[in-house]
Amino acid sequence: VVYAYGPTNRTFGLTAALNTLRNLALAWSVVGRAKPAVVLTTGAGVAVPFAWIGRLRGARVVYVESFTRIDGPSLSCRLIRPVAARVYGQWPEFVRAVPRSRYLGNVFSR
């Protein structure tokens, strides 16, 4: 278990900036030690630095958008999408609204 500094996407000002820097350093360390082939995330502010650092260190990034996002991407999705190899939505409407995303069902349909 590794504890990160959060939240970052709903915190503003100096606290957000410091937590983002702390999480970037933490991600660099954790990803460097673990050397993952894939970073799989459903988002949240803490996931953004891990996705970017994971990609910089050679991992593929897979993002699964929240079940609550039906027809548009979250802030986390918008920040992670540039480095994501795949983006999955859990609603067909999401895929129509977000280019290059995929729909394979949702967590409740399997």
Side-chain angles (χ1 to χ4, degrees), residues 44-97:
V46 172
V48 175
F50 280 85
W52 277 83
I53 296 297
R55 183 66 192 107
L56 284 172
R57 288 193 169 244
R60 287 181 51 128
V61 176
V62 177
Y63 182 80
V64 180
E65 182 61 279
S66 168
F67 180 76
T68 63
R69 301 304 296 209
I70 297 172
D71 56 6
S74 63
L75 177 59
S76 295
C77 181
R78 291 191 309 265
L79 293 172
I80 292 172
R81 195 162 51 135
V83 296
R86 297 265 172 95
V87 173
Y88 293 97
Q90 298 190 56
W91 295 97
E93 296 87 348
F94 178 84
V95 174
R96 288 192 286 273

Side-chain angles (χ1 to χ4, degrees), residues 33-50:
R33 280 194 313 270
K35 296 179 181 27
V38 176
V39 173
L40 170 66
T41 182
T42 58
V46 172
V48 175
F50 280 85

Side-chain angles (χ1 to χ4, degrees), residues 96-108:
R96 288 192 286 273
V98 179
R100 299 182 316 278
S101 62
R102 298 173 184 213
Y103 170 72
L104 297 175
N106 63 53
V107 295
F108 297 108

